Amino acid sequence: MVNKSAHIITEDLNLWFGDNHVLKDVNIPVYDRNVTALIGPSGCGKSTLLRCFNRMNDLIPETRITGKVMLYEENIYSSRVDVTNVRTKVGMVFQKPNPFPKSIYKNVSYGLNVRGIARSRIEEIVEKSLHDAWLWEEVKDRLHESAFSLSGGQQQRLCIARALANDPEIILLDEPTSALDPQSTARIEELCLALKDQVTILIVTHNIAQAGRISDYTAFMYLGEMVEFGKTKQMFTVPKDKRTEAYLSGVFG
């Protein structure tokens, strides 16, 4: 039975790339209108798990997946599911800002045009999305300039605005601040805290302190297994598993 307060939940999720068993019986809930952080050492499967939630691993050859990823009552790996619809509901922002080689305006409006949204609504949605990403005041007089004219932090907020424009239920963030300076990082963290009132957020981060600052729940992964999941404050104060304690205290990373 799916937990009604969980926006997404995995059930015995396994993933292989060829013969490499990357995810091993992963069970995790992602709670509605909360920030959930995925932490763990490099190569433990965090980003692979994140990409399971919008089926981006489907694009990698020789990928095999068993188990379920339930988006409310629907298994997104069911043959009946429209993958494009899943990716509209579950937006994604990558580690390195990746704006399209288009204007600031067209970056945000691109997905709306593809979906056939009426032109009369697109301008309104673009402005709202830029507002929600805390970027409107910085770009409102230069909407038709290249997105590459923006700073790294602004480009990442533009990518968040682009995701928000599709009115997603969930946003996946794959180490969104690892390529940014401390000031831009702080801005993205504050933005995540503000956005969780309107969208569920799942973030992969190598920065343990960042997870402690912005997440409501944390999942610790190690060697493809979900070692521990719980409320962030509780896990960071009294971890239940010795491997979690060792990771949080810097014994390994």
Side-chain angles (χ1 to χ4, degrees):
M1 175 69 90
V2 175
N3 187 323
K4 293 296 185 183
S5 63
H7 206 144
I8 282 188
I9 190 166
T10 69
E11 298 179 3
D12 299 326
L13 183 67
N14 286 268
L15 179 143
W16 292 261
F17 293 135
D19 294 329
N20 185 17
H21 194 180
V22 180
L23 299 178
K24 304 168 184 176
D25 291 322
V26 172
N27 293 282
I28 177 178
V30 180
Y31 292 113
D32 191 21
R33 307 297 171 95
N34 282 273
V35 178
T36 300
L38 290 174
I39 64 171
S42 296
C44 70
K46 303 185 300 295
S47 292
T48 299
L49 176 60
L50 193 76
R51 291 193 297 267
C52 285
F53 292 115
N54 68 347
R55 293 191 53 170
M56 285 199 68
N57 291 314
D58 293 15
L59 305 174
I60 301 173
E62 297 186 28
T63 299
R64 182 164 64 92
I65 295 174
T66 63
K68 296 179 180 180
V69 177
M70 304 299 294
L71 179 58
Y72 291 130
E73 300 293 334
E74 183 174 50
N75 177 15
I76 67 171
Y77 283 90
S78 165
S79 59
R80 300 186 303 274
V81 166
D82 181 344
V83 178
T84 301
N85 189 40
V86 169
R87 292 176 183 155
T88 299
K89 291 180 179 178
V90 186
M92 186 153 189
V93 176
F94 296 92
Q95 181 173 356
K96 185 178 178 182
N98 64 335
F100 300 145
K102 300 176 182 291
S103 69
I104 295 166
Y105 183 92
K106 287 185 177 179
N107 261 269
V108 184
S109 66
Y110 181 81
L112 303 172
N113 285 314
V114 169
R115 289 166 54 203
I117 303 298
R119 287 187 180 183
S120 58
R121 288 203 60 224
I122 288 179
E123 190 168 327
E124 173 189 336
I125 295 171
V126 168
E127 181 174 342
K128 182 181 185 304
S129 300
L130 289 168
H131 268 294
D132 288 346
W134 294 358
L135 195 57
W136 175 253
E137 292 301 325
E138 297 166 50
V139 303
K140 62 183 180 182
D141 297 323
R142 47 193 292 210
L143 292 174
H144 300 292
E145 292 181 17
S146 169
F148 296 134
S149 68
L150 300 175
S151 70
Q154 289 174 322
Q155 287 185 21
Q156 196 63 303
R157 280 184 280 141
L158 178 64
C159 292
I160 292 173
R162 188 173 67 197
L164 290 172
N166 287 314
D167 194 25
E169 298 178 12
I170 298 166
I171 291 185
L172 311 175
L173 303 170
D174 193 359
E175 296 189 63
T177 63
S178 62
L180 303 181
D181 61 82
Q183 185 175 3
S184 297
T185 294
R187 191 79 167 146
I188 296 290
E189 289 182 5
E190 291 169 8
L191 178 57
C192 286
L193 291 172
L195 285 175
K196 73 176 184 179
D197 288 337
Q198 67 185 73
V199 66
T200 301
I201 295 175
L202 181 60
I203 180 171
V204 165
T205 179
H206 273 110
N207 188 329
I208 295 172
Q210 181 175 75
R213 285 192 296 268
I214 70 170
S215 68
D216 303 286
Y217 293 88
T218 295
F220 170 59
M221 295 188 68
Y222 185 58
L223 299 178
E225 297 180 5
M226 185 60 61
V227 173
E228 187 168 346
F229 172 84
K231 291 186 176 181
T232 299
K233 289 181 180 178
Q234 183 175 344
M235 184 185 295
F236 279 44
T237 306
V238 190
K240 296 177 181 177
D241 192 287
K242 289 185 177 180
R243 291 168 294 179
T244 311
E245 183 177 5
Y247 181 73
L248 292 174
S249 60
V251 172
F252 68 93

